[in-house]
Amino acid sequence: MSEQLRELQKAGIHLRKGMTEDILLEEFDEKEFEKEPYLLALVAMGGEVEVEEDDFVDVSDDVWHFDTECIEDNGDYVQIVERVKALSKGLLEIENIRDAVDIEEEEATLTFTLAGKEYHWDLEVDNDWVDGTIFDRFNELLAQQKTEKRIAILELGQDCLIGMYSPEQLKQINALLTNNKFEFI
């Protein structure tokens, strides 16, 4: 496990300050991390841990383990934007984030401010599945920021890993993975 963490660090994926390898080992047995090297480490790093009752903290700000079946009510898209903002490490200084989600009426909207400009996005409603175009839209915003970083996704089924990487960084990360690979969207 330690070797996997060292190699992921070389590719720019780190544990958040205060997090240790022990936190990952609480989630999975060390032998499980060897079954498909790096993939389970990324899944564990992309999760969150409970630090106090009902208070959770992301394990890493460099990768996110995301369940795409997560839209149920107001605030769900706000959480997604907050996580994308954290992944951007200052590239997307998004503020005033608000959403409105009504599954029964099949209506969902997201509004926020970036660089003094207000954005209003109407989102598709498909039961409790996220509107995946939200990540394409964030990539468009990243392009406007004149950075080479883009959102990349590694599909796992109903869930996925999401990161914000440069092409060189994505190449380094994918070289570590044996089967599944991240792809820019």
Side-chain angles (χ1 to χ4, degrees):
M1 179 72 226
S2 297
E3 177 64 25
Q4 289 183 37
L5 287 177
R6 277 193 297 280
E7 291 301 314
L8 287 169
Q9 286 176 355
K10 289 178 189 175
I13 299 178
H14 304 87
L15 292 171
R16 195 175 213 191
K17 186 176 179 172
M19 299 289 165
T20 65
E21 181 178 330
D22 294 336
I23 288 172
L24 303 180
L25 293 171
E26 288 176 16
E27 195 71 26
F28 300 102
D29 181 80
E30 183 138 14
K31 290 185 189 244
E32 290 179 277
F33 287 106
E34 301 305 321
K35 289 182 183 171
E36 188 161 351
Y38 301 98
L39 182 63
L40 196 57
L42 288 167
V43 168
M45 290 175 76
E48 55 187 17
V49 293
E50 190 170 16
V51 290
E52 292 180 23
E53 190 172 330
D54 294 329
D55 186 22
F56 293 86
V57 174
D58 299 322
V59 177
S60 172
D61 286 328
D62 300 314
V63 64
W64 176 24
H65 184 222
F66 176 63
D67 182 349
T68 59
E69 193 176 14
C70 64
I71 305 300
E72 296 175 359
D73 207 348
N74 295 329
D76 291 338
Y77 278 106
V78 171
Q79 290 178 343
I80 291 169
V81 176
E82 290 289 357
R83 195 67 169 102
V84 168
K85 180 180 176 180
L87 288 170
S88 83
K89 294 194 173 74
L91 293 172
L92 296 175
E93 285 298 326
I94 300 167
E95 300 175 317
N96 305 318
I97 308 163
R98 299 173 308 283
D99 69 2
V101 176
D102 189 331
I103 300 296
E104 288 182 21
E105 293 296 321
E106 296 185 357
E107 296 176 350
T109 60
L110 174 66
T111 59
F112 59 89
T113 305
L114 174 63
K117 181 178 177 185
E118 184 160 311
Y119 291 83
H120 176 91
W121 293 347
D122 291 317
L123 303 167
E124 293 292 320
V125 176
D126 181 11
N127 294 311
D128 55 356
W129 295 92
V130 70
D131 180 346
T133 65
I134 191 172
F135 300 110
D136 297 317
R137 295 175 188 191
F138 280 118
N139 267 343
E140 290 171 13
L141 295 177
L142 282 166
Q144 293 171 16
Q145 304 306 311
K146 306 217 185 316
T147 178
E148 64 179 354
K149 289 195 173 189
R150 296 292 180 271
I151 293 175
I153 295 180
L154 189 156
E155 298 286 342
L156 298 170
Q158 166 180 320
D159 57 327
C160 60
L161 293 170
I162 298 176
M164 198 171 291
Y165 310 119
S166 69
E168 181 59 35
Q169 189 179 12
L170 187 71
K171 186 177 174 183
Q172 288 178 290
I173 296 164
N174 280 341
L176 297 172
L177 297 165
T178 53
N179 295 319
N180 301 327
K181 306 286 184 186
F182 278 93
E183 293 181 21
F184 285 122
I185 55 169

